[in-house]
Amino acid sequence: MSPQVVALAFITLLAATVNGALGYGFSAITVPLALLFLTNRVLNPALVLVEVALNAYVLWVNRSSLPRVWRRVLPMVLGLAPGIVVGTLILSQVNPGWLRFYTFVALLPLILLQAAGYRRPIRSERAAGLVFGGGLGVLYSVTTISGPPLAVMLSNQGLAKQEFRAALGFIRLAESMLTAVAYTYAGLYTRSSFALIPQILPSIAIGVPTGAMIIRHVRPETFRRVCMSFDAWVVAFGLSTLLRELRLVDSGAAYLVVVAVGLVDIWLLYRFFTGSPDSVGAAQPYRRPEGAV
């Protein structure tokens, strides 16, 4: 067994465990690490096919909450299609590194604000959802990563844990299926991509149920905080990797981003777990803003 196969198995096992717990995170962990020894053109098509099955599973497990959220997130789903078409064209012609870089730079402060307990629900979900869905479609089809921005959006709108997971499953199943179709028309599937799938599936089979068992008894606000903490570390690592990939920083100093974000997040975690519930952003009953649809 080659070192590359072992590394991919370990990475995807970790990613699948996180995905089983949070409902997302498989690509967010797998992509930054696997791109150290694979290319986007080989990795992305394999991950998209795997995520069709993975997201279908997440949606099925949380199907009882779907009737409460599908109308709210439908505009995001409708906005995905044009974004995916644009993103697939970008993937087939352009290096997506700069797109990931600017996305992560924009996301990081938003994630840290969410981790600090700051939320400001969007008043017009339908209009915002269409625009957000378009951007999400571009990002996912280029990088197969959409969990961090999607988690920020859904957490900001106050979805409870099961509603959060059902909405994630619904949106991510739609984006992975649409992207799989777009990749087919663009001719991006190759023998090398298909060869990765058998290496990934055992990790999915073990990691997803394990993660689901771990998270089962976590209270909703702790669940939200874990999501934001996870996103902060993943985005920080992604930024550090891209600083070197894009030759903006050629030394290990690029990983000072991870150190800085890690220190901030540890402080926020300490404040969350040691402070009184009322002082650190405890979960409050969500009231849909006036005018939201």
Side-chain angles (χ1 to χ4, degrees):
M1 187 177 294
S2 71
Q4 178 178 310
V5 172
V6 174
L8 185 62
F10 176 78
I11 292 167
T12 52
L13 177 61
L14 171 64
T17 303
V18 171
N19 201 110
L22 302 183
Y24 73 101
F26 184 76
S27 288
I29 291 177
T30 300
V31 170
L33 296 174
L35 285 181
L36 297 175
F37 52 88
L38 293 169
T39 66
N40 282 96
R41 290 289 299 270
V42 172
L43 180 64
N44 285 20
L47 290 183
V48 166
L49 290 178
V50 168
E51 288 207 333
V52 170
L54 184 58
N55 294 325
Y57 171 80
V58 170
L59 181 59
W60 173 257
V61 170
N62 298 281
R63 63 191 182 280
S64 61
S65 298
L66 185 60
R68 296 195 294 273
V69 297
W70 75 268
R71 288 183 179 85
R72 291 182 62 183
V73 301
L74 184 60
M76 294 185 204
V77 173
L78 296 177
L80 286 171
I84 286 171
V85 171
V86 172
T88 301
L89 293 173
I90 291 174
L91 179 64
S92 62
Q93 300 179 27
V94 180
N95 184 335
W98 283 105
L99 176 62
R100 296 207 311 273
F101 178 78
Y102 288 124
T103 299
F104 286 168
V105 167
L107 273 177
L108 190 55
L110 294 176
I111 291 170
L112 292 175
L113 282 173
Q114 291 284 299
Y118 178 82
R119 284 186 248 175
R120 190 170 183 177
I122 296 170
R123 296 174 64 88
S124 180
E125 286 187 351
R126 180 171 296 174
L130 282 169
V131 175
F132 180 80
L136 198 70
V138 172
L139 180 64
Y140 182 80
S141 56
V142 171
T143 68
T144 73
I145 295 174
S146 65
L150 192 51
V152 169
M153 179 67 164
L154 297 179
S155 177
N156 186 70
Q157 294 305 100
L159 271 66
K161 182 164 70 172
Q162 293 304 119
E163 293 174 346
F164 179 96
R165 290 168 64 89
L168 274 171
F170 182 49
I171 296 168
R172 301 207 75 221
L173 178 59
E175 72 183 4
S176 56
M177 290 178 66
L178 289 170
T179 302
V181 172
Y183 280 11
T184 300
Y185 277 100
L188 295 179
Y189 289 107
T190 64
R191 182 176 298 178
S192 298
S193 295
F194 285 123
L196 294 179
I197 295 175
Q199 301 173 28
I200 295 172
L201 290 180
S203 298
I204 299 289
I206 297 170
V208 171
T210 301
M213 286 190 294
I214 291 172
I215 204 69
R216 188 170 295 164
H217 302 294
V218 175
R219 69 187 180 95
E221 186 62 16
T222 301
F223 174 83
R224 185 194 68 81
R225 185 60 189 82
V226 168
C227 290
M228 294 302 103
S229 181
F230 164 73
D231 285 347
W233 285 86
V234 167
V235 169
F237 178 79
L239 266 177
S240 295
T241 302
L242 286 166
L243 284 173
R244 300 197 70 175
E245 178 184 318
L246 299 172
R247 299 187 180 278
L248 297 174
V249 179
D250 288 328
S251 68
Y255 292 96
L256 290 176
V257 175
V258 178
V259 175
V261 172
L263 290 173
V264 172
D265 187 58
I266 289 169
W267 174 70
L268 291 173
L269 283 171
Y270 174 81
R271 204 184 79 173
F272 175 80
F273 285 108
T274 62
S276 65
D278 292 334
S279 64
V280 291
Q284 301 294 329
Y286 177 70
R287 295 178 177 83
R288 184 175 298 186
E290 183 180 351
V293 292

